[in-house]
Amino acid sequence: MESTFGSILTALGTGLPVLLVQLAVTLALLAVGVAVYTRITPFNERRLVSEGNAAGGLTLAGSIVALAIPLAATLATSAFLLDILLWGVVAVILQLVAFAVATLLIRDLRGQIESGNVASAATLVGVQLGVALINAAAMAG
């Protein structure tokens, strides 16, 4: 009979490589999502953050979290790498569409974010997080 410690080591040896691959794929999806997000926004988040613009920092941070939420749900509910990859891509696309729609609803978003309007940034983040939570729940089934 194998010892408890031996069972733990066996499970770790089997599960850890899978965990690391799935984590790496999900983090890569997050990085791609953030890169695409920063390309489609009408403002330069890196510049705004480096200048100390709180609205720019809030918008970027909120977007990262909003992209991560459905990716986390996909990672938690999918057993296969291809499943994580496919649903992760869908999650990122849906979040980017949510951002695009939100920008249509907030008048002069670029000007407001660039001028440091935290209220507009918070509204955008709220829309993104709301969609992210619904997206995650839908993906989790």
Side-chain angles (χ1 to χ4, degrees):
M1 179 175 275
E2 192 173 348
S3 71
T4 303
F5 185 69
S7 297
I8 292 170
L9 287 178
T10 301
L12 183 63
T14 304
L16 185 60
V18 173
L19 176 136
L20 293 176
V21 168
Q22 290 178 345
L23 179 64
V25 166
T26 306
L27 287 174
L29 285 168
L30 179 61
V32 168
V34 171
V36 171
Y37 166 79
T38 58
R39 299 293 185 271
I40 68 170
T41 58
F43 36 84
N44 184 330
E45 290 84 356
R46 282 187 175 175
R47 181 181 53 79
L48 292 173
V49 170
S50 70
E51 293 172 354
N53 183 311
L58 178 61
T59 302
L60 179 58
S63 297
I64 293 168
V65 173
L67 286 164
I69 290 170
L71 288 172
T74 298
L75 182 60
T77 58
S78 300
F80 302 103
L81 191 60
L82 183 59
D83 200 31
I84 294 168
L85 187 60
L86 293 175
W87 284 109
V89 168
V90 169
V92 167
I93 290 169
L94 289 174
Q95 287 307 121
L96 293 173
V97 168
F99 169 77
V101 170
T103 60
L104 297 174
L105 299 175
I106 302 172
R107 180 177 286 155
D108 187 31
L109 181 65
R110 178 181 182 176
Q112 291 191 44
I113 299 300
E114 288 179 344
S115 69
N117 186 329
V118 174
S120 291
T123 301
L124 175 61
V125 169
V127 169
Q128 290 177 299
L129 291 176
V131 171
L133 290 169
I134 294 168
N135 188 358
M139 298 229 172

